[in-house]
Amino acid sequence: MSDSDPRTDAAADGAVVEAVHRTAEDIGSMEIRGAATIADAAARALGTQAAESEADSPDAFRAELRAAARVLHDTRPTAVSLPNALRYVFRDVEGGNVERLRASVRASVSEFCDRLDTAQNDLGRVGANRLRDGDTIMTHCHSTDALACVETAVEQGKSLSAFVKETRPRNQGHITAEALAEMGVDVTLIVDSAARRYLNDVDHVLVGADSIAADGSVINKIGTSGLAVNARDRGTPIVCAAQTIKLHPDTLTGHTVDIEMRDEREVIDDETADGIGSPTVLNPAFDVTPPRYVDAIVTERGQFPPESIVTLMRELFGEGTSEPWAEA
Ligand code: RUB
């Protein structure tokens, strides 16, 4: 997919189908959110591009797919599951006529989405082993990987309680509270700043990840690092549930992970801000928790001390990756 022609690429931008633009908008506005869900939606959108493409040559088809991938890629910069999903779909898109290319993209998308589901279930079984009957967890944000561990533990007959941080400014903790309650977990919702007060009553802090860096740093919803530092101070284990699609290949060669800055109006509306002297407002969506504050990263391939995750990353990615959707 790398032999792109700039003229074909320019023409392809206009052939990106509506469903791809809609998915990109939904990811940007967080209608679709959470690293695994974003990956699933992005892969499916590429599948729709392939299905609806009216390209009349393999070159034009591939250029359209690259253009669609760029639209999706530029939505949210922190969750590496998004470029990892796009890369997966591009793996086998090489030769043949348009119909063969179309079929191969659609097969890759369906394989990718199946693998995502399987990985989450497998990860859930690994993570559930850490949870004992009667345990209390504390959560931050809403992570389907973290919830998979709880769900499996509950299915194994374990009774669990949870302190759920509301997770300002978007309150994804509410989604977690609802999901846990549906599983039969006893839920207590707290404001973010109450976390330290209750950490003594907690057996595990359980969070997800948008990206895991080669040094074992966990990049997750803003507030995760403060929670982890407090948990370490109180001696409460902190576990990160993250499928291998969250491993960030570029960090193998020393790149850092971009932290998304979101609209300040998620924090405060214009009128209220005007009323308090129009302060500068910063709204970083994620932060970086250094590996020394994390006890284990739970993946579908087993659980790892964060410092050893680099071994798994090398096995999966070699020394780095390409961007097959890049313009010529
Ligand atoms: C979501 C978030 C989640 C991870 C993991 O942030 O930080 O913890 O994405 O989620 P946002 P999952 O709400 O800004 O997308 O385990 O579902 O992949």
Side-chain angles (χ1 to χ4, degrees):
M1 289 289 296
S2 53
D3 53 344
S4 55
D5 173 338
R7 284 160 309 178
T8 327
D9 271 326
D13 287 337
V16 172
V17 302
E18 181 51 34
V20 169
H21 288 294
R22 240 190 348 263
T23 301
E25 269 165 38
D26 287 349
I27 294 173
S29 68
M30 293 175 57
E31 271 307 300
I32 295 173
R33 48 147 300 281
T37 310
I38 290 171
D40 182 85
R44 286 181 198 279
L46 276 191
T48 308
Q49 176 69 41
E52 294 181 5
S53 168
E54 292 173 4
D56 55 6
S57 73
D59 275 353
F61 179 90
R62 285 191 289 257
E64 282 183 26
L65 206 66
R66 283 196 296 273
R70 287 193 296 275
V71 169
L72 295 161
H73 180 259
D74 293 344
T75 49
R76 295 195 76 191
T78 304
V80 75
S81 52
L82 173 51
N84 282 347
L86 301 176
R87 233 172 249 127
Y88 191 101
V89 176
F90 274 79
R91 279 189 333 179
D92 298 323
V93 190
E94 284 303 335
N97 60 23
V98 169
E99 283 320 311
R100 280 193 58 174
L101 288 170
R102 201 190 310 276
S104 102
V105 170
R106 298 188 74 188
S108 291
V109 169
S110 132
E111 184 182 285
F112 174 79
C113 295
D114 287 351
R115 288 179 79 143
L116 209 56
D117 281 349
T118 307
Q120 194 165 74
N121 291 337
D122 291 350
L123 170 158
R125 274 192 292 279
V126 176
N129 288 334
R130 298 188 73 96
L131 306 174
R132 292 153 307 180
D133 188 30
D135 275 355
T136 300
I137 61 167
M138 184 178 282
T139 64
H140 185 59
C141 198
H142 167 253
S143 157
T144 55
D145 282 352
L147 287 176
C149 304
V150 179
E151 189 169 19
T152 307
V154 169
E155 281 165 8
Q156 291 168 344
K158 297 170 188 167
S159 162
L160 300 172
S161 306
F163 283 98
V164 172
K165 293 177 70 201
E166 61 178 355
T167 318
R168 281 275 293 148
R170 299 285 297 233
N171 289 327
Q172 292 94 326
H174 294 186
I175 311 171
T176 301
E178 187 181 7
L180 288 172
E182 274 169 14
M183 290 176 204
V185 173
D186 183 16
V187 175
T188 304
L189 184 71
I190 56 171
V191 297
D192 295 321
S193 40
R196 190 165 193 278
R197 178 178 172 88
Y198 294 106
L199 272 169
N200 277 352
D201 304 328
V202 166
D203 300 292
H204 318 264
V205 169
L206 180 59
V207 296
D210 288 82
S211 284
I212 305 277
D215 70 349
S217 294
V218 169
I219 295 91
N220 191 47
K221 179 54 54 190
I222 189 78
T224 303
S225 64
L227 175 62
V229 170
N230 279 329
R232 176 62 85 233
D233 180 51
R234 294 274 159 132
T236 310
I238 171 149
V239 176
C240 171
Q243 320 181 30
T244 53
I245 195 174
K246 318 285 180 63
L247 303 179
H248 203 307
D250 293 345
T251 61
L252 280 167
T253 47
H255 289 272
T256 50
V257 177
D258 279 356
I259 300 294
E260 176 184 5
M261 296 299 293
R262 293 192 61 85
D263 196 312
E264 60 195 59
R265 275 163 294 200
E266 290 184 345
V267 176
I268 188 166
D269 63 66
D270 288 340
E271 199 185 324
T272 314
D274 288 349
I276 58 167
S278 305
T280 301
V281 179
L282 296 176
N283 184 19
F286 302 100
D287 65 18
V288 180
T289 303
R292 65 182 177 281
Y293 296 111
V294 179
D295 289 273
I297 297 175
V298 170
T299 78
E300 75 276 18
R301 301 277 296 257
Q303 41 186 320
F304 298 81
E307 292 84 357
S308 74
I309 204 76
V310 64
T311 315
L312 180 62
M313 286 176 80
R314 288 224 173 86
E315 186 189 319
L316 293 173
F317 299 112
E319 281 302 324
T321 49
S322 60
E323 294 205 337
W325 51 85
E327 276 183 294

